Structures are given as C-alpha cells and as structure tokens.
Amino acid sequence: MRFFSDNAAAAHPNVLEAIAAVNRVDTAYDGDEWSQRLDGAFSDLFGSQVRAFWVTTGTAANCLALAALCPPYRAILCHRDAHIEVDEAGAPGFFTGGAKLVLLEGPGAKITPDAVSDACEAIRDDVHQVQPAALSITNATEYGLVYRAAEVAALGDVAKRRGLAFHMDGARIANAVASTGESLADATWRAGVDAMSFGFVKNGGLNAECLILFRPELADEIAVRRKRAGHLLSKGRYLAAQILAMLENGLWLDNARAANAAAQQLAKAAPQRLIYPVEANEVFLKVSGDEEEQLRRQGFDFYEWGPGQIRFVTSWDQRAEDVEKLASAIASL
Amino acid sequence: MRFFSDNAAAAHPNVLEAIAAVNRVDTAYDGDEWSQRLDGAFSDLFGSQVRAFWVTTGTAANCLALAALCPPYRAILCHRDAHIEVDEAGAPGFFTGGAKLVLLEGPGAKITPDAVSDACEAIRDDVHQVQPAALSITNATEYGLVYRAAEVAALGDVAKRRGLAFHMDGARIANAVASTGESLADATWRAGVDAMSFGFVKNGGLNAECLILFRPELADEIAVRRKRAGHLLSKGRYLAAQILAMLENGLWLDNARAANAAAQQLAKAAPQRLIYPVEANEVFLKVSGDEEEQLRRQGFDFYEWGPGQIRFVTSWDQRAEDVEKLASAIASL
Amino acid sequence: MRFFSDNAAAAHPNVLEAIAAVNRVDTAYDGDEWSQRLDGAFSDLFGSQVRAFWVTTGTAANCLALAALCPPYRAILCHRDAHIEVDEAGAPGFFTGGAKLVLLEGPGAKITPDAVSDACEAIRDDVHQVQPAALSITNATEYGLVYRAAEVAALGDVAKRRGLAFHMDGARIANAVASTGESLADATWRAGVDAMSFGFVKNGGLNAECLILFRPELADEIAVRRKRAGHLLSKGRYLAAQILAMLENGLWLDNARAANAAAQQLAKAAPQRLIYPVEANEVFLKVSGDEEEQLRRQGFDFYEWGPGQIRFVTSWDQRAEDVEKLASAIASL
Amino acid sequence: MRFFSDNAAAAHPNVLEAIAAVNRVDTAYDGDEWSQRLDGAFSDLFGSQVRAFWVTTGTAANCLALAALCPPYRAILCHRDAHIEVDEAGAPGFFTGGAKLVLLEGPGAKITPDAVSDACEAIRDDVHQVQPAALSITNATEYGLVYRAAEVAALGDVAKRRGLAFHMDGARIANAVASTGESLADATWRAGVDAMSFGFVKNGGLNAECLILFRPELADEIAVRRKRAGHLLSKGRYLAAQILAMLENGLWLDNARAANAAAQQLAKAAPQRLIYPVEANEVFLKVSGDEEEQLRRQGFDFYEWGPGQIRFVTSWDQRAEDVEKLASAIASL
C-alpha cells in the first residue's frame, strides 16, 4: 500500500482517453488546436488574461519562469526547504545562468512577509552583494501547509514594495485550493503572483504540467526559453489534451479533494503525532523506530523523513480500504 | 494530405497501448521496471554495453550529450545546416554553458573527414581561439541523406586523431539504418560514436526520445544534467514503455521502412526534379511557383524550402492512396 | 625592430606618471576621485551624457557590453573576422550566457548595411531559430579599415529598423578617428551606437581600457556585471588615472596619429603589395616566402598572416628610424 | 586616519619601480620574460612545482579556480561569511556556470572538519540534490582569524575522504603566514590544497593578484578560462613585475608583518572589547554608539560592522603615529 509519493500515482482514465483522442496527424509543436486552446482555458479558470505553456516537469515550469523573472546576476528568495532549492538539482542556477537562491527560514516551509523584509534588509545595497529580484513560494508547501489568499497577498505586497517579482511553485496548487476553498484568482494573480507552475502530474496527470504567466508580456521570452531548454515537444497536442482533460468539469479539483480527504483521515487517527497541521495531502508523523517498523511490516510504504519522522503522501487514486487500514494502524500504534 | 513533417504524424497504436499498460501506481522518476529495462534493451540492440536515458525531445537528447562531451570553453564542429545549429534555438549554447558551434560546409548537410580536418587546421592552437572538442553529425541528415557505416567510421577516425568526441543526432537513425540495411552497431559505436540521440517521436513514438551513451562512464553526469535541465519526468514509466514498444519486434525499423518506401515512391515520380538523392524519408524537389501552387490546390501539404524548392517528408503512417496521389501529381507536373 | 603588435608597445610616460601620482591611500574600488571623474571626462569628449567604466581588457569591455545588449537566447551579428569571434576565446558566449554569434562576410572585416539586412532576412522568425538582438562592428577593423561616420550611421539605421542594439569594438577607435578627422560623436552615438569599448592599451595605455555606455540606463547592470566578472579592481584609481592621462590634451589622438603616420609611410613604400587600403595602423602585404625571409633577416619582427601575406602593426612609440628602415626594406623587395 | 580597508592602501614603492622597469616594447599577453618567470618563482616559494597565473582581482583568482574544481551541476562548501558568498556579486555562479554554494557555520568565519562532514551527510546522494565537489576556505578569514597548518591539513583530510577538491582564498595569506610563522607549504599544498588565490593588492601590490595551481594538470584549462573571462591582459608584464617585486626579499612577508603588528597594537589597547582574537590584520571591537562617534570625531575612519560592532583593518603602510593615536583613543574609551 503506497503512501510514498503522489508522483507515483497512476494517471486518471480521462487523461489517457484524452491522449488517445488526439492521436492523429496534426500540426507539430504547439500549433495544434489543443495547445492553442490552453490560453483561453486558463484565462477562464483564473478570470484574467493569462498565457499558458505546457511542459513536462514542475522543474521546467518553475525554472523557466524564474529565468524570466530574475537576471543571472541577482537572487531569488525562497524557503530553505523549497523544492527549487532542495530537489531540482540546481536547476534554478542552470536556467537563470547563475542566479543565487537566498534561503529563508519558517516552520513548515512557509515564508512570512517579515522573513522577506529581513532578508532584503540584510543585503547591502551595493555591487558586491547579490541583490534580490524575485520571491518564490510553494503552495501547498513541501510540508503540506497551505497559504491562504490573504497570506499570499501579504507576500505579494512586500514583494511589490521591495521590487521583487513573485513566483509560485504550484506543484500542489490544486490541493491548496481544495483545502481553503478560496478562489484561485485570489490566491494567485490578485495576490500579486507574476508567474506560477500549475501542477497536474501529482494530481492525476500523466506527463503534462503547465507554466502560467500573469504578465503576458513575458510570453515571447518564455516561448523561446522553452524551446532552447528542449522543452518544446514536437507532438505537443498529447500534453495539451492531458491538461484540458484535467480542467474539464473540475477534475483537477475533484482529484485534489480526494487526496486531501485521505490525508485528513490519517491525520485524525493520531492528532498527537502530527508534526505539522495537515492542510493538503501530506502527513508528517512522529514515531519511534519500532513503530515505523510495525507500519512497514503491515505493508505500508512511506518515506522516512529523518530521525523519528515519517511522511505519508496521499494521492487522488488512493484506495479507500488502504487509507482506512493505514488510519487504523496509526491509531493503534 | 500531409507531407509536411514526420513530427506531425500520429503515435503508433502499440505505443498508446504500452502507455495504458503501465498506468498504475509505481516507483517515481526512473526507478520503475520499464525505465530500468532500457539499458538492457539498447545494449542488446547495439550489441554492446550502453546506457540509455529517456527524454522528451531530440533537442534535450542532443544537447545533454553535447554538454557532457564539450566543456563550455571549447567548440563543437557541425554542419551549417545541422539541426543543433539551425533549429534548436541555441540549445547547445544553453546546455554547454556557452560552447561554440563551428560550422562546416558540404552538400546535403553531409560532413566529410576532410571538412573536419580543414576546420581543425584553421583554428590556431592558442588560448585566443576556441579549440574544438567534439564533432556532431546527423544521420539521416537534415536533407535526407544517409551516412553509410564506412563514412561514419571515417569521421570517427578523424575525430579520434583530432581528439574530438563524436556525437550523432539520430532523430532519423531508424530511417538511416532502414535505408542502408547495415548494422546499427557498425553505423554507431563501432564507427567511434560516443553518444547519440535515438529518435522515436518522428517514427511513431508519442513523446519519448532516447539518449544513448556508448561511454558508460558519462552516465552519472548525464543523469544529473537531465534532472537539472528539468528532463527527469516524475512518471518516467510512460516514456520507457513507449520506447520498449518501439523496440519490440523491430517496430522502429518497420515504421522507418514504411516511411522510406513512401519517399522512394515519390522520388521515382520525378527523378529529374530531385535536389538530393532520396535515401531516407525526405524528398526535395525543384518546382516552379505555378507547379507548387498546383500541388497545393490538389490538397497536398508540404514545406516551401526556399525559392523554387519544396520538401516532402513521409511518415510511418502515410496512407498508401495519399502517396500514390502525390506521386501521380508530381509526375504530371 | 618590432612591428608585430601594438599590444606589445610600451606605456606612455604620462601614463606611468599618472599612476605614480595617485599612489596614496584612497577609497577602494571606483569610489576614488579619479574613477568618479571618468563619466564627466568622457561626456565632455563625446558631447553627450555617457557612463564610463574602466576595465583591464578589451575583451571585458566588449563582452560586458554585449551581455547587457543581448539576452542569452538571442544572437549578435558580427563579421566573420571580428575579434569577438576570432580572438576572445569564446568570451561573448561566456558573458552573455550562451548567446550566438552570427557571422557576416565583407572585405577587410567591414560590414555593410546590406549584409546586416540579409542576415536578418535569412533567420526565420520563430522560436526554433535564434533571433538577432545586436550588431557589433570593430572600428578600425581587424584589417585596419576605418568606418567613416556616415557608414556607421547607415549601420545604425539598419540596426534600429531591425530592432538591434548597436555595439562598437573600439580597440582602435583612436586610430579610426585620427584617420578620418571626423567627430567622435558623429562616429559613435550620433550614428546610433549604444555601447562601445574605448581602447587605450594598444595606444599608449598600460592596463586600462574603457567601456562607454551611451544608454546610461544600462549603467547599474554593467556595474554589477563588472563586479561579478571579477573586473572591479580594488584599487581602481590606478586605472582611472591612466585613462585621464590619455585623455588629457588629446594624448590619445596624438598617439594614434603617430601610429597611423608610420603605417602610411610603410604603405607608400609598396602600394602595389597592399592587400587592404591602409587607413589606420595596420599594413597587410603580399610577399613571397623569400621576401618574407629577407625582411626577417634584416631584423624586422611581424606576423605571418597566411600564405603569402604578412602584417605590420605600427605603434604610438615606433621609432622613426625603424619605420624608415622598414619602408626602405619593403621598397627594395 | 584610515583604518577602513587594506584595499585602500597605497602600492609599495618597489612595486611602482618594478612597473617602470618593464616599460618597454615586449611580447604581448603572458609571453614576456617576467610572466614566464612566475611559475619558477612560486615553485621556489612553495617548494613544489606549481603553476601561477596573474590576474587583477581576487574574485577572478578565486572563481577561475573554482570553475576548474567544480562542474556547473555540483556545489562548493564554504563559510556563510566567505568572501565568495558575500562580496563577489555572485561571481562563483557566473564562472562555474551555475554551481551552488553550500553555506557552513562557524565562529569567526572558520570552518571545522565536522562542519564539512555534517554538510556532506545532510545531502542525499541522488540526482535531485546538488552533490558537493569542492571545499573553499579563506585564510586569514574574513574576521581576521588564521588557520594553522594542522587545521588546514585536517580540512584537507576530510575533503579528500569526501572526494572534494580544496580551494583556499588567500587574499590575506601573507598575513596568515606572518601570523603563524609556519611554512607556506605546510599551510597549503602539503595540507591538501589544490588551488588558491595569492593576494598581493591588499598587501602593497597595485593591481596584480595570483592564482596558484598545485595541480598543474589544470593549467591548460585555467589559461583558457582566464582568456575567456577577459582576464588575459595584453601587457601582462606589468602584472608579473609587480608580483616578482612583492616576492623579492620577502617583501610580501615584511608588509604583512607590519600590518599584523599594527593590529596587535590596537588589540592590546582594549582586549576586553575584542569580538574575535586578533590573529592577522583585522580588529573587531564592541563599542557603544557614543564611543563610535567619539572615535570618528578624532578623525579615525573605519567600518561599522553591525549594531555595536566596528572593524579596523591595518595596512602595510599604516603610519606608526596613527596606530599609536588610535590605540590610545581605544584605550581611553
């Protein structure tokens, strides 16, 4: 029973069907009708004119955006535990041409406006120190915490005051929105976000992610950077179709709700063991080595997150009986 | 009737089936069994120990390899019409960190050993001039010509003598091998090739290409570079499965043979109009503006390659009646 | 008797004196009064508000400017024989983060407006091909030809129409201006030049060159890029003082006139042997192997420029008797 | 009375004389006899075959070395307060092509072997996390602390065990060696250092620093990288001569001893106020705002290092009476 990562989940049947449905001769790259439909689909979703670019990984979506938002000689503020710092093999350095990540602290990988201000203040304003150009947050965070729209807006304010572009890693934006019930617009562009990755693969997609630009004037640069980085697929329709299937009838939200609900079920089984409040689809628990062993013996697969800590990630397709079994097992520890 | 690009073709049904067949929870990234099977499958195919890395574009496959073969401060020799020079948006510069492309001449985008030697001789051996580190050829070339194994070996010899690594852009390697009937091993590693892209997408794949390393000691670096460039997909099994399906029972060769045969049919319709001999799946014809117009009016879709020149590319799934119609139309011009 | 390179010449005594005169404790980097005086001195010289940055090499001056004028994913048009292409070890690729040089043809390393237009026309306007962002010319050229102000202006016009920034490698701008007698302003910013390197080292300086920005809004970026590239010296006053000494009383022009006059003397000795008209301080001659040998035996030191071609470069400090001897020797061949 | 920075000091008269002494026509770049003598001079100094490259800044010396020691996709371990992290405008990212700095803690900007081990242990050994390739230390540190040879050797050991190249920022190596009285060889290559910057400018030089390679096999790469970064000056003899003058009769050590002695005099004036032990030529003191003001009113120039902290840096040419006056002033606070 897999609670290891939402990266490991299957693709939703609708996604596979959508791929099959576009399997015919068509225009190459992103000239096909499905790729051409993305801007409109996301503009509707966000209630604002946006530009949308399919790519195949969150790393590509994040780092293409960061390259457009931060010149090589400046810095991106992010959390010490941010995916771009910890789990992308230095991709921000590669895509930006050497920009620096300045690491902020904060529980649960959440950044506060004060942390941003303090970091900016600590940088002498001269040519010797790398000046900040962008702020990047992850929503939901790497520890499954969620920024509410007002929190994003407060960060957007400080970014604006400090002259920072504002990027969101939305690998789990669906789980975040499903969690707060707030409007997607409020949690993103209305809060000052300039560009974001919109994650689908962890949420039922197969291999299509999306880069969303709320500043359409960056679109030409992004289009070139995507090609230059080898991320302009020649048969793009198979990515576009996946994304359109995920957007159709709110499948992206339904899937996220399912994953979140499973996480809640686990959280309720042992509230006293929770390391962080469970707000999306990740559950971090304190356990002893014996307890961990006990869970593994019962056939549960999960990540050891450090001494005495384990992580469960729930997916859109987690089987109800597996979740129940795990919840019981946790409760019985 | 589309003769525009093999990039526009559909994916082969076996490829779609293979994707569906791996649609289940599994290990993320390339830890799944299908990804793990690639090294063995290609080692069998090549008759030598190789390392194989799925990626989603030929640009990624080519430029990851070039980055491992050429340091930022040296140069790659390639043809003036090479895809890496003309159609990858400067990706070699991006992936290598600024290495230079030195452009060679030669009819039909083919490079001769003499052209390589001459280019090397023209570079003063000092720190002021960029010294060459690699040679890159495309087989079949951008004009549909094919290097025979002996020709590749002659280039491999000169590369070795000059201390150059040897890269092959194999976006249409299947068409090349199908054309010559020679052994894949003879045309690649036995001829001195160090790394190559092995194209599937133009040949019936959906979105999986492969980077093949004949020098396994580069594998660790390539693995990191792939991740860092955003090309390590989290659900890699859907790429690996496509490739395995293409290799199974020689589907890759069958598809290439079909495409080549269609090109031959067109070539025979108007041998006097051919700009290059037709050796793979591309046909370049001399036509007048009127003749071009005439073909378009009959519903044929193709590329205008410059004044008085048009290009047809045939695909694995080209319908027999379409090919026949086009052949007749060309013959009747 | 050295006619090998103006790079090999001595520094002018005034330059050494200026260095000695600032040898005291002072503010570090470019905070000292001499560095602070540069903007004003060059603004006076050019008759326009400019920003001036000392560096120690022409390569640094050229490539810092190019990095500010051309993003990593675009291209710089320059002559096939341009110093930035041929003799800077790929520095443009390093400083820009991988931008491409597109090479133009033209006798004597001179570029015409038509060559620029043709190069632009040859680039398909899509994301697959690298789009041009800048034009770079060298004045005087690598073959000692000089662009007159009207020629620069014509290039400036085409650059503007094509949306290209305009850079001038002015390693020998002094020789060019001394040659035409035209106004420095007319030959640079009034002709549309955005940024240039202003050479001093070949013309009597010790190790100070200058980067001039006619678009002051780029100054902050250049300041950071200079530091980041290790070109912000901690004791900048020794560079600034050199430059101020070269500007004082037109020493830079006097030196250039002296070098040019020596070249004219050589040119007149054998007009029939000239490969290019002699307009600055370089003389290219056709000679046989025997003749070359004859000159060397008489103690002349020069560069063999290819089969049957030799190059003499005259310097500000070339001794009159050496020039005379060489002129006679050439005449007697 | 300036105690602001050793960067602001004058150049030693011998250095100026040496510059004047080479002021004649000679071979360009580093082909002159003085540049050619550097390898031998430093090999003698270190008692080992080394390769020496003049450059004009410590940033260039450090970052050229780091680029040769760390590929773009790996990381350099250094102290959080290291000059390469804090004061080089992101130059390591530029020169390496995007390598990451991993920041270690430790009082006085000193790194311990345990800190290195812990940092390595904290990095998961997979393609998602950036793997370390090099360790960089500064001796004397940015806070004027000195690594003794045994301490460097202990770091060299852990570097070796961890597969890390070992770099030393020796901007103040002279002060360090003058402080410990230990052998230069013991404190560098015998302790496992692979490459270092050897500082002269803070210690009486004018604008020449040196990059020393203890692994001569890297020399060709460094030579190219130096040119490519615009750091190969065309009249290199003026840099080489400076360095040779500094080495002659141990001037570099004498100057460092003078600066260190001045610092000791200040340290003794108020031992209770010292924030760090004074081991080289930097003195950090705790003072109140009033006390700081009092010192400034008496004409002393120094750096405010944060709330309640001030920094004095003594130079080779600090006048005895100024030092005395400052010592008294501090003592009387």
Side-chain angles (χ1 to χ4, degrees):
Chain A
M1 290 162 287
R2 292 228 154 198
F3 291 87
F4 193 82
S5 170
D6 38 9
N7 270 338
H12 192 279
N14 292 11
V15 165
L16 280 167
E17 273 171 37
I19 287 175
V22 300
N23 191 35
R24 60 180 208 208
V25 171
D26 211 294
T27 307
Y29 302 109
D30 59 357
D32 63 276
E33 59 179 283
W34 303 276
S35 297
Q36 294 294 313
R37 231 186 275 157
L38 286 189
D39 285 350
F42 280 101
S43 295
D44 289 349
L45 186 68
F46 280 99
S48 176
Q49 285 299 321
V50 308
R51 294 295 302 272
F53 294 83
W54 43 249
V55 288
T56 54
T57 62
T59 296
N62 287 329
C63 295
L64 287 169
L66 291 171
L69 298 177
C70 180
Y73 48 85
R74 294 182 70 182
I76 299 153
L77 308 183
C78 69
H79 195 278
R80 164 177 306 286
D81 294 324
H83 199 263
I84 57 170
E85 159 66 9
V86 171
D87 272 309
E88 299 191 351
F94 177 51
F95 279 81
T96 60
K100 189 176 159 179
L101 299 188
V102 172
L103 307 181
L104 312 187
E105 310 284 342
K110 263 183 107 168
I111 295 176
T112 62
D114 281 355
V116 175
S117 288
D118 291 352
C120 291
E121 290 298 319
I123 297 171
R124 274 195 337 261
D125 182 16
D126 62 26
V127 298
H128 304 277
Q129 299 215 325
V130 181
Q131 303 301 310
L135 167 66
S136 176
I137 65 170
T138 309
N139 196 18
T141 76
E142 289 75 9
Y143 289 101
L145 299 191
V146 169
Y147 290 92
R148 302 194 64 86
E151 293 175 297
V152 182
L155 287 164
D157 280 350
V158 71
K160 196 165 196 177
R161 276 202 312 278
R162 296 286 178 176
L164 306 176
F166 192 10
H167 166 259
M168 181 181 283
D169 177 342
R172 293 191 183 96
I173 185 65
N175 302 284
V177 170
S179 172
T180 64
E182 294 176 328
S183 114
L184 188 55
D186 287 349
T188 57
W189 64 273
R190 279 208 200 102
V193 173
D194 294 304
M196 73 182 293
S197 60
F198 198 115
F200 290 104
V201 175
K202 291 177 194 293
N203 192 32
L206 191 147
N207 58 14
E209 306 278 19
C210 210
L211 159 50
I212 307 291
L213 288 180
F214 301 112
R215 290 167 51 189
E217 73 274 16
L218 298 176
D220 286 353
E221 176 177 345
I222 289 290
V224 174
R225 287 189 182 272
R226 178 173 64 168
K227 170 69 192 183
R228 175 175 169 84
H231 284 287
L232 180 65
L233 275 65
S234 55
K235 297 181 176 175
R237 58 193 178 279
Y238 298 100
L239 297 184
Q242 293 179 48
I243 294 172
L244 294 171
M246 289 293 296
L247 295 184
E248 205 175 345
N249 297 323
L251 178 60
W252 66 284
L253 259 183
D254 290 345
N255 282 358
R257 283 189 193 115
N260 287 3
Q264 285 303 327
Q265 210 175 328
L266 300 183
K268 278 171 197 145
Q272 75 292 355
R273 291 180 178 272
L274 294 178
I275 302 171
Y276 303 106
V278 173
E279 300 178 357
N281 65 327
E282 297 186 272
V283 181
F284 291 79
L285 294 185
K286 279 172 283 191
V287 292
S288 69
D290 272 3
E291 290 166 339
E292 182 183 334
E293 195 42 45
Q294 207 174 314
L295 290 173
R296 291 204 189 277
R297 266 200 314 269
Q298 295 174 66
F300 299 107
D301 186 22
F302 51 86
Y303 201 96
E304 190 184 287
W305 199 259
Q309 306 196 355
I310 58 177
R311 184 190 79 170
F312 300 97
V313 186
T314 52
S315 301
W316 70 274
D317 61 348
Q318 214 80 48
R319 291 193 312 167
E321 67 252 43
D322 291 353
V323 179
E324 231 158 278
K325 274 188 207 158
L326 177 54
S328 306
I330 291 171
S332 326
L333 283 178
Chain B
M1 290 162 286
R2 292 229 154 198
F3 292 87
F4 194 82
S5 171
D6 39 8
N7 270 337
H12 192 279
N14 291 11
V15 165
L16 281 168
E17 273 170 38
I19 287 175
V22 300
N23 191 35
R24 58 181 211 208
V25 172
D26 211 294
T27 308
Y29 303 108
D30 58 357
D32 62 277
E33 59 178 283
W34 303 276
S35 297
Q36 294 294 312
R37 230 186 277 158
L38 287 189
D39 285 350
F42 280 101
S43 295
D44 290 349
L45 187 68
F46 281 99
S48 176
Q49 285 299 320
V50 308
R51 295 294 303 272
F53 295 84
W54 45 249
V55 288
T56 54
T57 62
T59 295
N62 286 329
C63 294
L64 287 169
L66 291 172
L69 298 178
C70 180
Y73 48 84
R74 294 182 70 182
I76 298 153
L77 308 183
C78 69
H79 194 279
R80 164 176 306 284
D81 294 324
H83 199 265
I84 57 170
E85 159 66 9
V86 171
D87 272 308
E88 299 191 350
F94 177 52
F95 279 81
T96 60
K100 189 176 160 179
L101 299 188
V102 172
L103 307 180
L104 311 187
E105 310 284 341
K110 264 182 104 168
I111 294 176
T112 62
D114 281 355
V116 174
S117 288
D118 291 352
C120 290
E121 290 298 319
I123 297 170
R124 274 196 336 263
D125 183 15
D126 63 25
V127 297
H128 304 276
Q129 299 215 324
V130 181
Q131 303 302 309
L135 168 65
S136 176
I137 66 170
T138 310
N139 198 17
T141 75
E142 289 75 8
Y143 290 102
L145 298 192
V146 169
Y147 290 92
R148 302 194 63 86
E151 293 174 298
V152 182
L155 288 163
D157 280 349
V158 71
K160 197 165 196 178
R161 276 202 312 277
R162 298 286 178 174
L164 306 176
F166 193 9
H167 166 260
M168 183 183 282
D169 177 341
R172 293 192 183 95
I173 185 65
N175 303 283
V177 170
S179 172
T180 64
E182 294 177 328
S183 114
L184 188 55
D186 287 348
T188 57
W189 64 272
R190 281 210 198 100
V193 173
D194 294 304
M196 73 182 292
S197 60
F198 199 116
F200 291 104
V201 175
K202 291 177 194 291
N203 192 32
L206 192 147
N207 58 15
E209 306 278 20
C210 209
L211 160 50
I212 308 291
L213 288 180
F214 301 112
R215 290 168 49 191
E217 73 274 16
L218 298 175
D220 286 353
E221 175 177 344
I222 289 290
V224 174
R225 287 189 182 271
R226 179 173 63 168
K227 170 70 192 182
R228 174 176 170 83
H231 284 288
L232 181 64
L233 275 65
S234 56
K235 296 181 177 175
R237 59 192 177 279
Y238 298 100
L239 298 184
Q242 292 180 47
I243 294 172
L244 294 171
M246 288 294 295
L247 295 183
E248 205 175 346
N249 297 324
L251 178 60
W252 66 285
L253 260 182
D254 290 345
N255 282 357
R257 282 187 194 118
N260 287 3
Q264 285 304 327
Q265 210 176 328
L266 301 183
K268 278 171 196 143
Q272 75 291 355
R273 292 180 178 273
L274 293 178
I275 301 173
Y276 302 106
V278 173
E279 301 178 356
N281 65 327
E282 297 187 272
V283 180
F284 291 79
L285 295 185
K286 279 171 283 191
V287 292
S288 68
D290 272 3
E291 291 165 339
E292 183 182 335
E293 194 42 45
Q294 209 174 314
L295 291 172
R296 292 205 189 277
R297 267 198 314 269
Q298 296 174 64
F300 300 107
D301 186 22
F302 52 87
Y303 201 95
E304 191 185 287
W305 198 259
Q309 307 196 354
I310 58 176
R311 184 189 79 169
F312 300 95
V313 185
T314 53
S315 301
W316 70 274
D317 61 349
Q318 214 79 49
R319 291 192 312 166
E321 67 253 43
D322 291 354
V323 179
E324 230 158 279
K325 273 187 208 158
L326 178 54
S328 305
I330 290 171
S332 325
L333 283 177
Chain C
M1 289 162 286
R2 292 229 154 198
F3 292 88
F4 193 82
S5 171
D6 39 8
N7 269 339
H12 192 278
N14 292 12
V15 165
L16 280 167
E17 272 171 38
I19 287 175
V22 301
N23 191 34
R24 59 181 209 207
V25 171
D26 211 293
T27 307
Y29 302 108
D30 59 357
D32 62 276
E33 58 179 283
W34 303 276
S35 298
Q36 294 294 313
R37 230 184 279 157
L38 286 188
D39 284 350
F42 280 101
S43 294
D44 289 349
L45 187 68
F46 280 99
S48 176
Q49 286 299 320
V50 308
R51 294 295 302 272
F53 294 83
W54 44 248
V55 287
T56 54
T57 61
T59 296
N62 286 331
C63 295
L64 288 169
L66 291 172
L69 298 177
C70 180
Y73 49 84
R74 294 183 69 183
I76 298 154
L77 307 183
C78 68
H79 195 277
R80 163 177 306 286
D81 294 323
H83 199 264
I84 57 171
E85 159 66 10
V86 171
D87 272 308
E88 299 192 351
F94 177 52
F95 279 82
T96 60
K100 188 177 160 179
L101 300 188
V102 172
L103 307 181
L104 311 187
E105 310 284 342
K110 264 181 104 168
I111 295 176
T112 61
D114 280 355
V116 175
S117 288
D118 290 352
C120 290
E121 291 298 319
I123 297 169
R124 273 196 336 263
D125 183 16
D126 63 26
V127 298
H128 304 277
Q129 300 215 324
V130 181
Q131 302 301 309
L135 168 66
S136 175
I137 65 170
T138 309
N139 197 17
T141 75
E142 289 75 8
Y143 290 101
L145 298 192
V146 170
Y147 290 91
R148 302 194 64 85
E151 293 175 298
V152 182
L155 288 163
D157 280 349
V158 70
K160 197 166 196 176
R161 275 202 312 278
R162 297 285 178 174
L164 306 176
F166 192 8
H167 166 259
M168 183 182 282
D169 177 341
R172 294 192 182 96
I173 185 65
N175 303 284
V177 170
S179 172
T180 64
E182 294 177 326
S183 112
L184 188 55
D186 286 349
T188 56
W189 64 272
R190 280 209 199 101
V193 174
D194 295 304
M196 72 182 294
S197 60
F198 198 116
F200 290 104
V201 175
K202 291 176 193 292
N203 192 31
L206 193 147
N207 59 15
E209 307 278 19
C210 210
L211 160 50
I212 308 291
L213 288 180
F214 301 111
R215 289 167 52 188
E217 73 274 16
L218 298 176
D220 286 354
E221 176 177 345
I222 289 290
V224 174
R225 286 190 182 270
R226 179 173 64 168
K227 170 70 192 183
R228 175 175 170 84
H231 285 288
L232 180 65
L233 275 65
S234 56
K235 297 180 175 176
R237 58 193 178 277
Y238 298 100
L239 297 184
Q242 293 179 46
I243 294 171
L244 293 171
M246 288 294 296
L247 294 184
E248 204 176 347
N249 298 323
L251 179 59
W252 67 285
L253 260 182
D254 291 345
N255 282 358
R257 283 188 193 117
N260 286 4
Q264 285 304 327
Q265 211 174 327
L266 301 183
K268 279 171 196 144
Q272 76 292 355
R273 292 181 178 273
L274 293 178
I275 301 172
Y276 303 107
V278 174
E279 299 178 358
N281 65 328
E282 297 187 271
V283 181
F284 291 80
L285 296 184
K286 278 170 284 191
V287 293
S288 69
D290 273 2
E291 290 165 339
E292 182 183 334
E293 195 41 46
Q294 209 174 312
L295 290 172
R296 292 205 189 275
R297 267 199 314 268
Q298 295 174 64
F300 299 107
D301 186 21
F302 51 86
Y303 201 95
E304 191 185 287
W305 199 259
Q309 307 196 355
I310 58 177
R311 184 189 81 168
F312 300 96
V313 185
T314 53
S315 300
W316 69 275
D317 62 350
Q318 213 80 48
R319 290 193 311 166
E321 65 252 43
D322 290 355
V323 179
E324 232 158 279
K325 273 187 208 158
L326 178 54
S328 305
I330 290 171
S332 325
L333 284 178
Chain D
M1 290 163 286
R2 292 228 154 198
F3 292 87
F4 193 82
S5 171
D6 39 8
N7 270 337
H12 192 279
N14 292 11
V15 165
L16 280 167
E17 273 170 37
I19 287 175
V22 301
N23 191 34
R24 59 183 209 205
V25 171
D26 212 294
T27 307
Y29 302 107
D30 60 357
D32 63 276
E33 60 179 283
W34 303 277
S35 298
Q36 294 295 312
R37 230 185 279 156
L38 286 189
D39 285 351
F42 280 102
S43 294
D44 290 349
L45 186 69
F46 280 100
S48 176
Q49 284 300 319
V50 308
R51 293 295 302 273
F53 294 84
W54 44 248
V55 287
T56 55
T57 61
T59 296
N62 286 331
C63 295
L64 287 170
L66 291 172
L69 298 177
C70 180
Y73 49 84
R74 294 182 69 182
I76 298 153
L77 307 183
C78 68
H79 195 276
R80 163 177 306 286
D81 295 323
H83 199 264
I84 57 170
E85 159 66 9
V86 171
D87 272 308
E88 299 192 352
F94 177 52
F95 279 81
T96 60
K100 189 176 159 179
L101 300 187
V102 171
L103 307 180
L104 312 186
E105 310 284 342
K110 264 182 105 167
I111 294 176
T112 62
D114 281 356
V116 174
S117 288
D118 291 353
C120 291
E121 290 298 320
I123 297 170
R124 273 195 339 260
D125 183 16
D126 63 25
V127 298
H128 304 276
Q129 300 215 324
V130 181
Q131 302 303 308
L135 167 66
S136 175
I137 66 169
T138 310
N139 197 18
T141 75
E142 289 74 9
Y143 290 101
L145 298 191
V146 169
Y147 289 92
R148 301 193 64 86
E151 292 175 298
V152 181
L155 287 163
D157 280 350
V158 70
K160 197 164 196 176
R161 275 203 313 277
R162 297 285 179 175
L164 306 177
F166 192 8
H167 166 260
M168 182 182 282
D169 178 342
R172 294 191 183 96
I173 185 65
N175 303 284
V177 170
S179 172
T180 63
E182 295 176 327
S183 114
L184 188 55
D186 287 350
T188 57
W189 64 273
R190 278 207 201 101
V193 173
D194 295 304
M196 72 181 295
S197 60
F198 199 115
F200 291 104
V201 176
K202 292 176 193 291
N203 192 32
L206 192 146
N207 59 15
E209 307 277 20
C210 211
L211 160 49
I212 308 291
L213 288 180
F214 301 112
R215 289 167 52 189
E217 73 274 15
L218 297 176
D220 286 352
E221 176 177 345
I222 289 290
V224 174
R225 286 190 182 272
R226 178 173 64 168
K227 170 69 192 181
R228 175 175 169 84
H231 285 288
L232 180 65
L233 275 65
S234 56
K235 297 180 175 175
R237 58 193 178 279
Y238 298 100
L239 297 184
Q242 293 179 46
I243 294 172
L244 293 171
M246 289 293 296
L247 294 184
E248 204 175 346
N249 298 323
L251 178 60
W252 67 285
L253 260 182
D254 290 345
N255 282 358
R257 283 188 192 114
N260 286 4
Q264 285 304 327
Q265 212 176 326
L266 301 183
K268 279 171 197 143
Q272 77 292 353
R273 292 180 178 273
L274 293 177
I275 301 172
Y276 303 106
V278 173
E279 300 178 356
N281 65 328
E282 298 187 89
V283 181
F284 291 80
L285 295 185
K286 278 171 284 193
V287 293
S288 69
D290 272 2
E291 291 166 337
E292 183 183 334
E293 195 42 46
Q294 208 173 312
L295 291 172
R296 293 205 188 276
R297 267 199 315 269
Q298 294 173 64
F300 299 107
D301 186 22
F302 51 86
Y303 201 95
E304 190 185 287
W305 199 258
Q309 307 196 354
I310 58 176
R311 184 190 80 168
F312 299 97
V313 186
T314 53
S315 300
W316 69 275
D317 61 349
Q318 213 79 47
R319 292 193 311 166
E321 67 253 42
D322 291 355
V323 179
E324 233 158 278
K325 274 188 209 158
L326 178 54
S328 306
I330 291 171
S332 325
L333 284 178

